[in-house]
Amino acid sequence: MTAEPFDKISVAREILSAIGVDPGAVQHETRLRADLGLDSTETAQLEIELRERSVFNVDLWDSHDYTVAELADSLPDH
């Protein structure tokens, strides 16, 4: 039996959904601030959610507006 490949985009959608983002709005090139319109509270919640899942510690407050694909690429392979 072959294991399903780990789908990082699905995990990113799940994480974003946990902070109230509509999963249907999440595509590979969707930008967190410009496209999803994450406000400061949602950005802080996203950082906390990522930290709690032991994913990685990312600074979402810098000038770079991460895409969902960049967020997903940063997820560990498991």
Side-chain angles (χ1 to χ4, degrees):
M1 175 179 231
T2 306
E4 289 289 317
F6 182 69
D7 184 359
K8 292 182 176 188
I9 292 293
S10 292
V11 174
R13 276 192 186 105
E14 177 187 321
I15 292 169
L16 289 164
S17 178
I19 66 163
V21 174
D22 174 14
V26 178
Q27 302 300 319
H28 284 78
E29 295 307 314
T30 302
R31 292 173 293 161
L32 299 177
R33 291 190 304 256
D35 299 328
L36 295 178
L38 294 187
D39 62 24
S40 59
T41 301
E42 292 165 325
T43 301
Q45 288 175 323
L46 178 57
E47 283 188 342
I48 291 167
E49 188 70 26
L50 290 168
R51 223 173 297 126
E52 285 178 352
R53 292 173 182 244
S54 299
V55 176
F56 64 101
N57 193 8
V58 63
D59 181 7
L60 297 175
W61 299 99
D62 65 13
S63 61
H64 180 68
D65 192 4
Y66 286 86
T67 65
V68 172
E70 290 171 324
L71 185 69
D73 285 343
S74 299
L75 297 172
D77 293 323
H78 59 77

